[in-house]
Amino acid sequence: MKLKQLMDDFITLAIQSGGWMELDRLYLRNKLLMMIGGHTPDSDYEAVYDSTSADSLADSLVAYAVEMGYSNEQSSKSYLKSQLLDLLAPPPSVVNAFFAQHYSKSSEEATNYFYELNKRNHYIYTPQVGKKEHYETPYGEFVIQTLEDEKAGKSRAIDGFSTANLTEYPKCTYCFENEGYGEEGSAALPTRRLIRMNVGGESWGFQFSDWEEYKEKFFISSEAHRGLMKNKDSIARIAQLLDIFPQYFILLSPEKAKEHSYYEGGRESFPIAAAAVRTYIELKEFPLMNVGSLDWPFPVIRLQSPNVEDIIEGSDYILQKWQQCYGEKLSVEPMIIGRKKKNLYEIDLLLTSGKQPNEERATAEYLGRHSLSPVNGKKSIVENQLSEKVLEEYVAMLKSWTPFGMDQQIGENEAIDDFLHRLE
């Protein structure tokens, strides 16, 4: 195809995104010419591309720019490509208006719109999964998979974000100021869009992760650059977010305090969601609530109730009692996960050791899914087949995260059950 046809196909995708109209076609053509260093659309430049793929179209435009003298450095080409793809994402006001319009019909229709927009402008990158196997364990079915991607395990703009090129603005990757921000050589992505939300009377922003570790992974961060305490207010936000997005699970990370904490979530159903309850107790303060410990390699307490106030108060009550009993003895970094099952609120309190290795752990690791990539020293397994040994190593790693220690005189199950019975 000639250059003019290449640009027109790209502009057609931009118009279809909802941010532009047919009247803007000539303006966009001239804007593209300036960006790629062209002088006229009537060039004899030949390009082979997929006219339905934003990625393919943008790559062809970048290739033309390189022919016209643009830098052939990978960082420079990536920066130009991100600027081009930004034209396929409507401005935030338009995205938020469309989201609200879809949300008036259903929350799922709204998130589907936003997800497809992010996929279309190539903001979301989904790693390629190679071999995937399901293993029966004493804790239910676990999943071990391999990633074929060379990028697997490396830092991305959001998940595993590298701050090497950040200055004081934006302060971090979760700040609202990242929306539309781009600087050559940085990990910023100009195509990023946030959905503004009111959560507990405060301004929050919903954005999909650029690295889709699991299905429809997203982050929700406050407009204020601050950390989050794991207290009743943070649990109440989880419950409110479950009402806003009942199709998703919502999670508050166990990682150590951050300058700007966030909620995480997605659509995937992980093995922990199907884990069996080993021991039930009754709390007289919350007669409508089920409370029990799960069969899991490290301590997990599950709460279920149709009453949102009970689920908030009950979760806070248990965490406070845990702090009173073990706060000075055990180092714990709780992960709080919420999900909705029809009219039932469900909260899992994952009580993991705060003495884990400093390396960043993927969320899925806690929840029953382990991923292997060519960059994590498992090449022979990745290239051939998964093995029971990998499963054994994974389960052993999960067990090592127990706050009670591996050399305790009584079993972990007895320890967590004893704690629960003391609550009755």
Side-chain angles (χ1 to χ4, degrees):
M1 294 291 184
K2 301 293 185 182
L3 177 63
K4 185 176 183 299
Q5 187 62 53
L6 169 61
M7 290 194 297
D8 280 347
D9 288 340
F10 185 87
I11 292 165
T12 296
L13 281 190
I15 292 171
Q16 290 173 352
S17 74
W20 307 91
M21 301 183 71
E22 189 61 38
L23 189 63
D24 300 316
R25 186 175 288 274
L26 181 57
Y27 167 82
L28 287 171
R29 185 186 299 159
N30 289 330
K31 191 171 183 66
L32 283 178
L33 273 177
M34 288 188 293
M35 294 174 72
I36 63 178
H39 303 294
T40 173
D42 300 318
S43 167
D44 291 332
Y45 176 74
E46 291 283 351
V48 178
Y49 57 87
D50 178 357
S51 62
T52 64
S53 167
D55 189 44
S56 178
L57 286 162
D59 282 340
S60 295
L61 289 168
V62 170
Y64 174 82
V66 171
E67 282 204 8
M68 297 300 293
Y70 190 79
S71 171
N72 199 30
E73 292 289 330
Q74 187 57 47
S75 60
S76 297
K77 291 192 294 184
S78 296
Y79 175 70
L80 176 58
K81 183 177 178 179
S82 70
Q83 297 293 317
L84 291 168
L85 290 172
D86 189 39
L87 296 175
L88 303 183
S93 58
V94 175
V95 174
N96 276 263
F98 278 138
F99 187 91
Q101 182 180 339
H102 287 292
Y103 193 88
S104 66
K105 299 175 184 177
S106 76
S107 64
E108 192 161 359
E109 181 176 316
T111 54
N112 285 346
Y113 154 74
F114 191 45
Y115 179 77
E116 290 304 321
L117 174 69
N118 280 273
K119 288 290 282 187
R120 187 166 60 245
N121 66 25
H122 210 62
Y123 175 79
I124 295 174
Y125 184 86
T126 305
Q128 296 300 308
V129 175
K131 197 173 182 63
K132 186 174 185 178
E133 293 187 1
H134 298 256
Y135 293 91
E136 286 299 328
T137 76
Y139 313 102
E141 186 179 78
F142 280 7
V143 179
I144 308 290
Q145 66 182 27
T146 63
L147 301 180
E148 295 182 334
D149 233 286
E150 288 186 2
K151 296 181 182 179
K154 297 180 182 180
S155 62
R156 271 76 57 185
I158 291 188
D159 199 8
F161 183 73
S162 172
T163 58
N165 295 301
L166 282 183
T167 57
E168 293 183 359
Y169 182 90
K171 289 186 176 69
C172 77
T173 190
Y174 302 102
C175 288
F176 280 27
E177 288 81 2
N178 284 281
E179 192 172 42
Y181 180 80
E183 182 179 354
E184 187 169 350
S186 77
L189 294 173
T191 52
R192 187 179 312 185
R193 299 292 185 267
L194 279 74
I195 301 301
R196 270 38 173 207
M197 305 167 57
N198 184 316
V199 184
E202 299 175 339
S203 177
W204 291 71
F206 169 87
Q207 60 179 309
F208 282 109
S209 170
D210 71 308
W211 179 261
E212 195 174 23
E213 173 199 343
Y214 51 81
K215 190 175 180 181
E216 295 183 38
K217 180 179 179 179
F218 62 80
F219 301 103
I220 300 175
S221 56
S222 67
E223 185 169 8
H225 180 71
R226 66 177 187 190
L228 282 177
M229 299 292 292
K230 293 181 179 69
N231 55 23
K232 187 160 67 174
D233 288 341
S234 61
I235 299 168
R237 288 192 202 97
I238 290 177
Q240 185 178 349
L241 291 171
L242 289 174
D243 288 336
I244 296 172
F245 300 126
Q247 71 271 31
Y248 288 140
F249 72 83
I250 307 292
L251 173 153
L252 186 55
S253 173
E255 297 160 3
K256 294 184 169 38
K258 295 182 176 67
E259 292 183 359
H260 199 156
S261 295
Y262 55 85
Y263 292 92
E264 181 183 325
R267 192 184 286 270
E268 194 148 335
S269 180
F270 285 102
I272 195 171
V277 177
R278 186 183 66 253
T279 303
Y280 277 106
I281 64 166
E282 293 183 2
L283 298 180
K284 60 180 181 297
E285 297 89 345
F286 308 101
L288 296 178
M289 187 166 66
N290 293 325
V291 181
S293 58
L294 298 190
D295 265 329
W296 203 249
F298 54 78
V300 181
I301 299 172
R302 174 166 293 170
L303 301 86
Q304 295 174 320
S305 177
N307 187 308
V308 68
E309 290 303 323
D310 278 2
I311 210 78
I312 295 169
E313 296 287 344
S315 299
D316 181 58
Y317 171 77
I318 290 174
L319 286 176
Q320 286 196 42
K321 288 295 184 182
W322 177 274
Q323 185 64 24
Q324 291 172 13
C325 290
Y326 297 114
E328 296 182 359
K329 303 175 186 176
L330 302 176
S331 176
V332 174
E333 289 289 335
M335 174 189 281
I336 306 173
I337 304 176
R339 59 185 77 89
K340 239 184 158 179
K341 297 181 176 177
K342 294 185 178 179
N343 295 323
L344 192 70
Y345 294 89
E346 184 173 272
I347 292 285
D348 287 346
L349 306 176
L350 282 65
L351 303 169
T352 61
S353 171
K355 296 180 180 179
Q356 296 175 41
N358 291 329
E359 62 183 283
E360 196 84 5
R361 292 289 180 188
T363 298
E365 298 282 358
Y366 294 86
L367 310 182
R369 197 190 76 191
H370 183 46
S371 296
L372 302 169
S373 70
V375 298
N376 69 359
K378 301 287 185 180
K379 277 193 175 181
S380 60
I381 296 171
V382 172
E383 292 169 357
N384 297 306
Q385 61 181 10
L386 305 180
S387 68
E388 291 287 345
K389 186 174 186 301
V390 176
L391 177 67
E392 292 173 6
E393 291 174 353
Y394 173 49
V395 173
M397 178 179 70
L398 292 179
K399 287 183 175 181
S400 72
W401 295 351
T402 174
F404 293 107
M406 301 299 287
D407 57 349
Q408 57 186 357
Q409 293 183 352
I410 61 171
E412 175 190 296
N413 290 348
E414 289 85 348
I416 192 66
D417 289 349
D418 177 63
F419 166 73
L420 286 176
H421 289 307
R422 276 187 277 167
L423 298 179
E424 290 186 291

